Amino acid sequence: MEEQSGPPTYDRIGVGYRRIRRPDPRLHALIGAALRGARTVVNVGAGAGSYEPEGAEVTAVDPSQVMLDQHPGRRKVKASASQLPFPDGAFDAAMAVLTVHHWPDPRQGLAELRRVARRQVVFTWDPAHRPQLWLMEDYLPEIRELEESRFTPLAEVVEALDAYTVLPFPIPHDFTDGYQAAYWRRPELYLDRTVRQASSTFATLPPEVVEPAVERLRADLASGEWHRRYADLLDREDMDYGYRLIVAGEPAGE
């Protein structure tokens, strides 16, 4: 699903990715509506193929062979977002799901989406959004620093795409796709190393940073401190942590 400069992160952490990063039907429906009517779609930073539309001819692009090997499709291309090997207007739509922050040149990659497709659908995170996940605030501020350094500000993505729609996606409490904020109401899952390794942020930070924070969380869960501190979250059905779907180009259904 994601890419970066140099050896792709997911060549290292991508084995078994699909077990933890299971597409959530609610996000799938949101992305599917934005792609409605597109017969040919290029999925840039495709990874294992999450959220691709049914019924469309999808071409998966990713720089990681490990991730492409897990992709179930037949049309797979190992390439960078910054240099898509397709002619102008080759696709009805281009999609990019939680990947722009890994591109070596986000503006060039977004320009490539506009060049090769008549519609662009991008799911990303707004680093300026508040509140942020409690994990960043109280346990691992290093995550916040890393994420804010690599995520392109939402306004810049919107401007680069000349987008006409920005849709919020509050994360359901039972969200199935194990990206970083998925377990906001299930904190015990952050104690699982396998769950953490499916997140590029956790995989990027050194163990000497992550492990002490995880142990503090473990202690707070055992003592009940976490539940006292975050009691207001326990009855919520979803939380808006700044994830956004951006739609640009040719409107859906046309």
Side-chain angles (χ1 to χ4, degrees), residues 75-157:
R75 298 175 178 84
K76 297 186 277 191
V77 177
K78 187 176 180 181
S80 168
S82 300
Q83 293 181 306
L84 296 177
F86 310 111
D88 295 358
F91 301 94
D92 293 334
M95 61 184 292
V97 178
L98 287 181
T99 177
V100 173
H101 59 295
H102 286 291
W103 295 353
D105 186 341
R107 279 199 165 268
Q108 176 62 26
L110 294 169
E112 282 287 273
L113 297 190
R114 297 184 73 179
R115 181 183 68 79
V116 303
R118 291 179 288 281
R119 187 189 320 162
Q120 301 82 40
V121 176
V122 173
F123 186 63
T124 189
W125 176 68
D126 179 8
H129 181 83
R130 297 297 184 271
Q132 293 186 340
L133 178 66
W134 52 263
L135 187 71
M136 298 180 179
E137 298 290 347
D138 290 340
Y139 293 93
L140 274 167
E142 295 85 357
I143 288 182
R144 180 179 62 237
E145 293 165 9
L146 177 61
E147 297 289 64
E148 290 182 351
S149 72
R150 65 181 184 168
F151 268 88
T152 303
L154 183 70
E156 292 185 21
V157 178

